[in-house]
Amino acid sequence: MAATAAASAAASLACRHDGHHSIFPSFSVHPPEPSRLFLSKALPKPYPFLCDNYPIAASSHRCMLPLTPHAALVDPSHAFLSADEDKPRDECGVVGIIGDPDAAQLCSLALHALQHRGQEGAGIVSSDGSSLHSATGLGLVSEVFSDPGTLAPLVGEASIGHVRYSTAGAASSLANVQPFVAGYRFGKLAVAHNGNLVNYRNLRSALESKGSIFNSSSDTEVILHLIATSSSRPLLARIVEACEALEGAYSLVFLTANKLFAVRDPHGFRPLVMGRRRPTGAIVFASETCALDLINAAFVREVNPGEVVVVDSRDMSITSLCLMPSKSRKACVFEHVYFALPNSVVFGHPVHSSRYSFGAALARESPAPSADIVIPVPDSGFFAALGFAEASGLPFRQGLIRSHYVGRTFIEPDKEGRNLAVKLKLAPVRGILEGKSVVVVDDSIVRGTTSSKIVQLIKTAGGAREVHMRIASPPIVGSCYYGVDTPSSEELISNRMDVEGVRQEIGCESLAFLSLESLRGVFADEAHMFCDACFTRDYPVPPRNQEIEQLVEV
């Protein structure tokens, strides 16, 4: 009866990819009632879903996916020592691979490609078809898995992996390093999470009042408890029920003995893509397409907001379902401003192209007619500076050289040490800068501390006559609660000062930010599908007051 009722509610719910670049069709799922995907304790079999435009194998009710190719341990007390101190930190990258005998090895390579998304810890969990095997550690991927013997026990043709950066709490605690593995009455389950739950405190409190015991300070553990305490069957129904309780951002990969699940929140805040590896046909999920490229996997599509994709290792069948009624997509625009690698395609747009367009728009809005050259703050300002230079007709020069071999923990936390940190990380090329009026293009300003040091460095060590700062994003005035480590609003310099105040604080001759209108203009008709709350304080999912006061890490 439940199966009949579910199947009869045709066209009542659609889970669709909102971007114009998707090569995969939309899916429709028909719940017994609009507010829930499953009311019954057991999912109807076969699981109800429709796949527009692509055939469904009648015997298995599973969708046949077409393939298309796409165009050092951080001490939290010394976090300010990096030349990137004035940047928000993305909170993690996830990888999932199923159907390849070298799954764990490939997972470690994919995590290398995502290292920019988290440097505090890394981990991999593999499945051999009957058991899960786990290896986690603090530090970079190359440190955690430097010994070949670390990967040796991770046998099997399926694995998930995680690189971690935390927002608060025990940043260097091994207990918080993912993937997490938990046992419940039907077996073991591993999970890796990119995002942040704004109702974590409320959920944890409710679970603890019912007897749940937590082993970490990570909001991801709440998801495992919700699944374990659910009375629904099978596991897919438990995952759906758990996600219905979550508020905020989550891109998740789950691994059991024989299945891999990929899940994205209904707003699609954080990226998650799907690919297929040549020649094995293994299915791969990752936070960015750069991870697919490294392991020779062809991009298939994004995991749609509000979707769960299930891959069964026993026959490599793929099932797609909607978690819940779709909401307006609100992809994080800061992925294009700073977080993602420029060789990635994120939310259907090449990142390098977006950054180039930001810089070109900035040149048209806020030219520097007296300037002689344009230089980027490496590395994230490179493409924006290139766009600014070409749009303004000024020469593009590499006036700052970045060292990629500077550690973070050996400099004393005083003023002299902080200044030395920037000098060690960024070296001016005096032969390019001396006597010049220089446009310096950076992607963003958060606290303003590093920007002031860069201006001083270019003038004193580089010998520049003038420094005109151009920022390829609007002023950051609001903290992020969807999986990004940003300071409190009081620490955000643009929340405390107007543009002229910021200019005086960092000591440059002129300062301009990209306007919000121009930023949105780069994405044209898709602009409303991006979350830009850090620039507007317009939060798609309002943060809870108690969560604002004490966010915890993923």
Side-chain angles (χ1 to χ4, degrees):
M1 181 65 70
T4 303
S8 65
S12 61
L13 174 64
C15 177
R16 298 184 180 275
H17 176 57
D18 292 321
H20 298 303
H21 300 272
S22 174
I23 55 88
F24 198 76
S26 58
F27 291 91
S28 299
V29 183
H30 315 300
E33 144 181 324
S35 63
R36 292 182 59 85
L37 180 57
F38 305 107
L39 283 180
S40 60
K41 296 301 180 184
L43 279 173
K45 297 185 181 339
Y47 306 144
F49 71 98
L50 300 177
C51 181
D52 303 333
N53 304 326
Y54 284 90
I56 299 175
S59 60
S60 63
H61 285 76
R62 293 182 172 100
C63 180
M64 306 297 107
L65 295 180
L67 291 180
T68 300
H70 64 69
L73 176 61
V74 179
D75 181 343
S77 67
H78 292 168
F80 61 87
L81 298 177
S82 168
D84 297 323
E85 67 179 66
D86 203 19
K87 306 297 182 186
R89 306 290 180 86
D90 199 15
E91 286 194 28
C92 314
V94 300
V95 175
I97 299 172
I98 187 167
D100 197 293
D102 297 320
Q105 179 69 41
L106 292 169
C107 195
S108 70
L109 291 173
L111 291 178
H112 275 285
L114 300 177
Q115 186 72 87
H116 59 287
R117 300 186 73 88
Q119 297 89 45
E120 289 184 355
I124 295 173
V125 173
S126 72
S127 170
D128 61 8
S130 58
S131 302
L132 299 185
H133 310 274
S134 176
T136 59
L138 295 169
L140 302 176
V141 177
S142 59
E143 296 168 335
V144 176
F145 299 104
S146 59
D147 183 353
T150 308
L151 283 171
L154 301 177
V155 296
E157 296 192 355
S159 67
I160 61 172
H162 189 265
V163 287
R164 175 177 178 274
Y165 183 85
S166 63
T167 54
S172 56
S173 170
L174 186 59
N176 287 327
V177 179
Q178 298 180 32
F180 290 156
V181 180
Y184 73 118
R185 51 186 172 151
F186 297 107
K188 285 191 173 182
L189 176 68
V191 63
H193 173 201
N194 175 212
N196 196 78
L197 307 179
V198 302
N199 63 335
Y200 160 71
R201 288 288 175 188
N202 289 349
L203 291 174
R204 176 164 178 161
S205 178
L207 287 163
E208 287 178 329
S209 69
K210 296 177 182 178
S212 291
I213 298 174
F214 285 76
N215 297 312
S216 74
S217 59
S218 169
D219 59 351
T220 307
E221 195 176 357
V222 159
I223 301 170
L224 289 174
H225 282 271
L226 290 171
I227 291 171
T229 57
S230 170
S231 58
S232 297
R233 295 281 300 276
L235 175 59
L236 179 57
R238 290 171 177 262
I239 291 174
V240 170
E241 185 174 296
C243 289
E244 286 182 328
L246 306 180
E247 296 177 14
Y250 51 91
S251 286
L252 303 161
V253 285
F254 295 94
L255 184 65
T256 66
N258 49 44
K259 289 182 181 179
L260 192 154
F261 301 77
V263 180
R264 200 159 166 226
D265 70 77
H267 285 294
F269 285 109
R270 312 250 55 91
L272 189 62
V273 296
M274 178 180 176
R276 191 186 294 270
R277 187 170 183 268
R278 301 177 293 262
T280 63
I283 298 298
V284 183
F285 298 95
S287 293
E288 292 183 35
T289 60
C290 62
L292 303 181
D293 297 336
L294 184 62
I295 61 172
N296 197 31
F299 173 77
V300 174
R301 65 178 179 96
E302 287 190 27
V303 175
N304 293 329
E307 181 185 15
V308 55
V309 180
V310 188
V311 187
D312 193 321
S313 64
R314 291 167 293 195
D315 58 4
M316 290 302 295
S317 57
I318 300 170
T319 303
S320 172
L321 290 164
C322 286
L323 285 169
M324 57 193 72
S326 59
K327 299 180 181 179
S328 57
R329 194 190 81 171
K330 290 295 179 181
C332 175
V333 75
F334 225 86
E335 293 282 352
H336 280 271
V337 172
Y338 175 71
F339 293 139
L341 286 186
N343 57 317
S344 286
V345 177
V346 176
F347 309 132
H349 296 266
V351 175
H352 72 89
S353 177
S354 298
R355 291 177 185 169
Y356 180 95
S357 297
F358 295 158
L362 183 59
R364 292 189 291 268
E365 279 188 344
S366 303
S370 65
D372 301 310
I373 59 173
V374 177
I375 71 169
V377 175
D379 292 317
S380 55
F382 180 88
F383 284 99
L386 189 61
F388 189 101
E390 294 189 0
S392 61
L394 293 171
F396 175 87
R397 296 288 185 268
Q398 196 75 27
L400 289 170
I401 306 301
R402 176 174 180 141
S403 171
H404 294 273
Y405 308 104
V406 178
R408 299 185 182 208
T409 60
F410 66 94
I411 305 171
E412 293 301 319
D414 55 22
K415 182 178 180 180
E416 184 177 352
R418 291 192 294 271
N419 291 335
L420 178 59
V422 173
K423 290 181 180 180
L424 285 169
K425 199 76 170 181
L426 297 173
V429 183
R430 192 173 183 89
I432 291 177
L433 301 173
E434 189 171 18
K436 298 289 199 311
S437 176
V438 181
V439 176
V440 181
V441 180
D442 204 356
D443 57 89
S444 60
I445 295 180
V446 182
R447 294 181 180 90
T449 50
T450 296
S451 297
S452 63
K453 295 166 194 169
I454 290 173
V455 170
Q456 182 182 16
L457 185 68
I458 291 172
K459 287 185 175 181
T460 57
R465 183 178 82 254
E466 295 177 342
V467 174
H468 302 276
M469 289 291 294
R470 295 294 183 267
I471 309 302
S473 65
I476 298 175
V477 296
S479 295
C480 177
Y481 306 106
Y482 310 129
V484 178
D485 177 22
T486 50
S488 64
S489 296
E490 292 75 20
E491 296 178 87
L492 298 171
I493 190 170
S494 292
N495 189 52
R496 296 184 288 106
M497 303 177 181
D498 60 14
V499 174
E500 175 59 20
V502 176
R503 184 199 68 78
Q504 294 179 16
E505 183 75 11
I506 66 178
C508 56
E509 274 63 41
S510 71
L511 170 67
F513 293 84
L514 181 68
S515 69
L516 182 62
E517 292 72 23
S518 291
L519 177 81
R520 290 173 171 173
V522 169
F523 299 106
D525 293 341
E526 292 184 50
H528 68 284
M529 301 177 187
F530 285 86
C531 174
D532 52 23
C534 53
F535 307 133
T536 64
R537 302 190 192 91
D538 182 13
Y539 294 102
V541 180
R544 309 288 185 91
N545 290 335
Q546 59 269 39
E547 303 298 328
I548 296 176
E549 294 170 2
Q550 190 174 10
L551 286 174
V552 297
E553 74 280 1
V554 174

